[in-house]
Amino acid sequence: MLETPYVAVDVDVLDRNVAAMAAAARGRGLALRPHAKTHKCLEIARRQVDYGAAGLTVATVREAEVFAGGGFDDLFLAYPIWPSPGRAGRLRKLAERVALRVGVDSVESAEALARAVGPLDVLVELDSGHHRSGVQPGDAARVAEAAERAGHRVRGIFTFPGHGYGPGLQQQAALDEAAALSAAGAGAEVRSGGSTPTAALAETGPLTEIRPGVYVFGDAQQVELGTCGWDDVALTVVATVVSRTGNRVIVDAGSKVLGADRLAWATGFGRLPEHPEARIVALSEHHATVEFPDEPPARGDVLRVAPNHVCTVVNLADELVVVRGGAEVDRWRVAARGANT
Amino acid sequence: MLETPYVAVDVDVLDRNVAAMAAAARGRGLALRPHAKTHKCLEIARRQVDYGAAGLTVATVREAEVFAGGGFDDLFLAYPIWPSPGRAGRLRKLAERVALRVGVDSVESAEALARAVGPLDVLVELDSGHHRSGVQPGDAARVAEAAERAGHRVRGIFTFPGHGYGPGLQQQAALDEAAALSAAGAGAEVRSGGSTPTAALAETGPLTEIRPGVYVFGDAQQVELGTCGWDDVALTVVATVVSRTGNRVIVDAGSKVLGADRLAWATGFGRLPEHPEARIVALSEHHATVEFPDEPPARGDVLRVAPNHVCTVVNLADELVVVRGGAEVDRWRVAARGANT
């Protein structure tokens, strides 16, 4: 008997999600380089590569080291990495060990990387509308030329259309992504984009590669965005009702297991797939307050909660409980948990 | 040279905070039972007890086990615990090993605990206005009587005035807390309340004990509530500027190290103590977008970020880097990280 709260992954649903995205990318002639920051698990990365992923995307040097250590030899560090002293040496070792690509978004970072690390395979990051890191498409050639002059091999361009994380915004974000990649890199070998909400809309031609992450598990955000249904949600947090007043219950999963992510348009702090009318109206570290339209569950009842944003949930857990037909069949270690450096 | 992002704790500021709260509680004749869920560190709990804490408060059975294993023998599990099978056996073992008190907030949970675990020292939880768990003050006697009938020793009552987490709400929350404890338990041996925002306002008489947690570190929320100043913030996340556009920079600390907590009234996703005019306007997993009123820092610059809510930050870190005068002097393991069960 497992003790709540714990993170459960339905392996049949996971496999279906992995296979479906691989088939969709293959069918459209796009390389699939899934973002491993979502799952941080060697076992899931292995499934993605077995289904035909061209390699993995990672967010940090430490994530790259963990996946390199697990036998994955083609890694894209899709981040505007700055070569601080310790990090520079680690990047150099990684580049000797695996096929490594890193992101740059300025002349300064391209030159600093060349000085501190040496020549690397780089992709220039574009801002396609999310306004986080990345250069405007019109500046990409200038950064690419500086990177070449500094000795790097410029393999292409990439962007993250994160502004597609809002109801009804996917189509516009996918158009913006395609426009930015087309404007900056008609001739670039790699034109990489894609997020889970926009992956199905990614245009072959402007793009050669997509990097979705969340699709392996799904989460409440994706359901509320319409990207997947409840049956596609592979990861849930299993929790016990510990308190009850009127039509509200408290379950023993709070922000320390569900994460506190909540975009402005979300209906709450997660959802209950078996109770789609229920709303998580408040979240503390060890309490979620769940409001039901009618009679709520009883104390001691066990419920499944789909978190809002699965990437931060996995990063809170030391292991995932792998289930099939509701029964535990395995445990997977979250090998890159806390791998932020 | 430490690699960013990392969690730094200034031990001199920490010690000052620990000493000040201990002195304030002693001066008003209140027992201090600090909440260890904030720090999850044996070294910090030891400092709190050395300064006169009566015992520790914990949120989960696993936290109780970690602190019992560290030699702490007086623990209050301030949570409406439900005795699922595995948890019941662990509670029984804990009660044999240390002085243990647990929370109950219903006749059902009191009876279930008696059946599954046996007689325990219990405190009845009251709702003093936060509307999470806890009974209304008028129902406390009924629950206490049921707990006594079930064989428990009812040691008193407790509440968490969490509705004091809003600008200008501390005074009202402290009054509500005192009113609830007075209404329910004039004769109770233990009348326990207190949160960091209301601790300074806790009334001796209605209360016999306070349970603040965050005060050891402080955080951006406490500064914005007026509970402490920037000089009292002992814990910060140290981050590097990796990208820069106009008056905005991206630093390499995102929600996977800072947490995503953001109450409606917060000015952003954390603050920069050395740059009080700057605002963290967006947060992704590995990016914080920081807007400056004028010229922002340069790429490669290292900044300190005070997170909004320190409890969830500590739960993301495997260790805390202990600094004095800016130099590393120790590392403390976050012994109860992820201890949610």
Side-chain angles (χ1 to χ4, degrees), chain A residues 91-136:
Chain A
L91 271 173
R92 196 178 312 115
K93 280 197 195 114
L94 266 171
E96 288 164 4
R97 182 178 182 190
V98 300
L100 181 73
R101 299 171 183 182
V102 307
V104 296
D105 78 344
S106 66
V107 174
E108 293 90 325
S109 63
E111 292 177 347
L113 281 166
R115 278 194 303 275
V117 185
L120 290 164
D121 283 12
V122 304
L123 274 75
V124 177
E125 183 175 5
L126 309 179
D127 175 9
S128 56
H130 185 43
H131 307 321
R132 195 173 63 179
S133 47
V135 297
Q136 294 307 305

Side-chain angles (χ1 to χ4, degrees), chain A residues 3-5 37 79 82 87 90 105-106 132 243 252 256 284-286 299-300 309 311 318 337 340, chain B residues 3-5 37 79 82 87 90 105-106 132 243 252 256 284-286 299-300 309 311 318 337:
Chain A
E3 290 188 48
T4 60
K37 74 176 165 67
Y79 192 82
W82 186 262
R87 204 162 290 165
R90 292 163 58 207
D105 78 344
S106 66
R132 195 173 63 179
S243 184
D252 63 358
K256 282 178 174 172
S284 310
E285 291 160 56
H286 298 279
R299 281 188 183 77
H309 182 197
C311 302
D318 293 311
R337 200 211 74 70
N340 295 308
Chain B
E3 291 188 48
T4 61
K37 73 178 165 65
Y79 192 82
W82 186 262
R87 203 162 289 166
R90 292 163 60 208
D105 79 343
S106 66
R132 195 172 64 180
S243 184
D252 62 358
K256 282 178 173 171
S284 310
E285 291 159 58
H286 298 279
R299 283 188 182 77
H309 183 196
C311 302
D318 292 312
R337 200 211 74 71

Side-chain angles (χ1 to χ4, degrees), chain A residues 16-302:
Chain A
R16 203 171 67 214
N17 293 343
V18 168
M21 185 63 80
R26 195 167 43 241
R28 282 145 60 216
L30 291 167
L32 173 63
R33 186 179 286 275
H35 212 312
K37 74 176 165 67
T38 298
H39 55 70
K40 293 176 171 280
C41 276
L42 302 179
E43 292 84 350
I44 298 177
R46 178 54 55 205
R47 289 170 133 82
Q48 291 174 316
V49 170
D50 286 350
Y51 273 100
L56 299 177
T57 303
V58 294
T60 68
V61 177
R62 184 72 197 124
E63 280 188 351
E65 289 167 342
V66 168
F67 285 99
F72 298 90
D73 59 4
D74 192 335
L75 303 174
F76 172 33
L77 182 38
Y79 192 82
I81 195 84
W82 186 262
S84 308
R87 204 162 290 165
R90 292 163 58 207
L91 271 173
R92 196 178 312 115
K93 280 197 195 114
L94 266 171
E96 288 164 4
R97 182 178 182 190
V98 300
L100 181 73
R101 299 171 183 182
V102 307
V104 296
D105 78 344
S106 66
V107 174
E108 293 90 325
S109 63
E111 292 177 347
L113 281 166
R115 278 194 303 275
V117 185
L120 290 164
D121 283 12
V122 304
L123 274 75
V124 177
E125 183 175 5
L126 309 179
D127 175 9
S128 56
H130 185 43
H131 307 321
R132 195 173 63 179
S133 47
V135 297
Q136 294 307 305
D139 285 332
R142 187 175 58 82
V143 174
E145 284 156 21
E148 294 275 4
R149 268 200 310 279
H152 299 301
R153 295 165 295 272
V154 177
R155 302 290 302 275
I157 50 181
F158 76 107
T159 191
F160 172 64
H163 55 309
Y165 268 81
L169 301 180
Q170 290 71 57
Q171 186 67 53
Q172 187 58 51
L175 289 171
D176 292 344
E177 170 185 57
L181 291 167
S182 296
E189 171 196 346
V190 178
R191 301 183 297 278
S192 178
S195 64
T196 294
T198 58
L201 306 165
E203 266 189 74
T204 314
L207 280 79
T208 63
E209 174 181 283
I210 54 173
R211 308 186 315 278
V214 172
Y215 76 96
V216 291
F217 296 133
D219 55 24
Q221 280 181 180
Q222 298 299 329
V223 174
E224 295 190 350
L225 286 173
T227 307
C228 70
W230 290 122
D231 290 348
D232 305 313
V233 173
L235 183 149
T236 50
V237 172
V238 183
T240 301
V241 175
V242 297
S243 184
R244 186 178 191 255
T245 312
N247 65 333
R248 287 182 169 196
V249 300
I250 305 292
V251 301
D252 63 358
S255 61
K256 282 178 174 172
V257 61
L258 286 171
D261 290 56
R262 185 186 173 171
L263 292 171
W265 44 265
T267 62
F269 292 94
R271 289 285 290 273
L272 280 66
E274 278 77 37
H275 302 274
E277 303 304 316
R279 291 291 178 270
I280 303 183
V281 295
L283 194 70
S284 310
E285 291 160 56
H286 298 279
H287 308 69
T289 305
V290 192
E291 200 166 273
F292 288 79
D294 36 41
E295 186 72 3
R299 281 188 183 77
D301 281 1
V302 173

